[in-house]
Amino acid sequence: MGRNGVEVPAAVIAYKLRDASSWWQDINESVVWQDRIFHVLAVLYGLVAAVALVQLVRIQLRVPEYGWTTQKVFHFLNFLVNGVRCLVFIFRRNVASINPPIVQHILLDMPSLAFFTTYALLVLFWAEIYYQARAVSTDGLRPSFFTINAVVYAIQIALWLILWWKDTRLLVILAKMFFAGVSLFAALGFLLYGGRLFLMLQRFPVESKGRRKKLQEVGYVTTICFSCFLVRCIMMCFNAFDKAADLDVLDHPILNFIYYLLVEILPSSLVLFILRKLPPKRGITQYHPIR
């Protein structure tokens, strides 16, 4: 039905749909628009990398007497991931022409793995807080963190080597589904330990200092990170089986923009903003370095 209650002919609806589809296709096939969108992504990643670096410097100036704390490593990895993504999108057209193609896979996939490690570190930090508050030993958490990351990287490197040896459609699907599984694992990690920590904080006395702020912080970050990894998992599944959802080609710039905005740029920006508080100065409270 039209605006005044008049029935709109099916031919008009079909024409409008074709027009919208044509607009999307025109942008995807335009070299100018491809470069513009990839450069916008590069600028956004550069801004996030700069914010992470500034925060890292501020933390170092605030507590210079400590080494690489969990907070410092988290911000450094954010800077690294977003900085590499920025460079990749600046030279996206050059990356697409690199031979052998396996190098393209590595340049596009490695930042995603590093993104997983960055936020898995946050899950580790929350797990340590949760178990320490319950007087449970945390001795096995860090070895588990390093073991999980080592296994993920080892499998991914093995998949790259196999793809280098024999680049088939089946292996590409397998590699993408593997990363979909890794993303789902990360999402469940945030749901498990973020949810546990949130429920534990809820049981603290209402008058506890900083309880409400910390409760909001954990709740917001858990929701953001769970959502971004779940969306990445779903998109990777589409990416694996539907060529129209392929993220590793130049002629899908709009899809690339939506995907990377939702699963990396926006979540990183929000988390960095939420976790912007500097650690207390020495002498006010204990602040343990990473071991």
Side-chain angles (χ1 to χ4, degrees), residues 54-73 75 277-290:
V54 168
Q55 187 67 354
L56 175 61
V57 172
R58 291 178 68 211
I59 295 169
Q60 176 60 26
L61 293 175
R62 184 68 172 260
V63 283
E65 60 274 11
Y66 295 108
W68 282 98
T69 63
T70 303
Q71 192 178 22
K72 289 179 184 178
V73 174
H75 284 86
K277 184 180 178 182
L278 293 176
K281 290 183 179 179
R282 188 175 184 179
I284 297 177
T285 187
Q286 289 296 105
Y287 188 60
H288 300 288
I290 193 169

Side-chain angles (χ1 to χ4, degrees), residues 4-24:
N4 297 320
V6 180
E7 186 175 352
V8 179
V12 174
I13 297 175
Y15 174 78
K16 289 183 178 180
L17 290 174
R18 283 198 303 272
D19 188 52
S21 175
S22 176
W23 167 82
W24 181 285

